[in-house]
Amino acid sequence: MTDYQTDVHTLSLNADYQATEQFGLNAGLMFSDAKAEWSGLSLQTPANVNDPVLTNIYSLEATNVITSYSELHYRQLEASLGGTYQFTPALYVAASVGYVMFDDRSPYVYGDQDGDAYRGSLGLGYRF
């Protein structure tokens, strides 16, 4: 019997602060831990497949020796900080910076996918 299980835990904290009437700050922090595993894989070649090449070279029964498969485990941390300054009720500028850390705890499935990313944005807006 095939058994598939996933566990995902996420914690997110966000804050907004209106420092002055024109200037507001925002910050965010998110942590996620995700695991998935598949065990008890049992495959059989369908009875209607009778091509000798396919049945000899691509035997699905050979996969039954796999006792566990797709044991994935990822951790991700994301942080951001931004602000908005209102020049007028309609015209404003917004800026933000962020950091993302991705940790592949089981890199054998797709190769090591660890990585860090930094991002930033600056924008001018007008509400009408």
Side-chain angles (χ1 to χ4, degrees), residues 51-110:
D51 183 323
V53 174
L54 288 177
T55 56
N56 287 326
I57 296 176
Y58 302 106
S59 170
L60 295 178
E61 285 78 6
T63 62
N64 296 335
V65 299
I66 300 171
T67 57
S68 64
Y69 181 76
S70 196
E71 293 181 7
L72 305 173
H73 187 185
Y74 299 107
R75 286 188 179 158
Q76 184 172 347
L77 176 69
E78 189 168 337
S80 64
L81 179 64
T84 304
Y85 186 81
Q86 295 283 153
F87 295 109
T88 69
L91 182 65
Y92 65 94
V93 65
S96 70
V97 294
Y99 169 75
V100 177
M101 182 273 305
F102 190 78
D103 182 19
D104 186 356
R105 310 290 287 181
S106 299
Y108 63 90
V109 178
Y110 298 111

Side-chain angles (χ1 to χ4, degrees), residues 6-10 32-35:
T6 61
D7 293 310
V8 178
H9 304 283
T10 302
S32 181
D33 184 82
K35 295 179 185 179

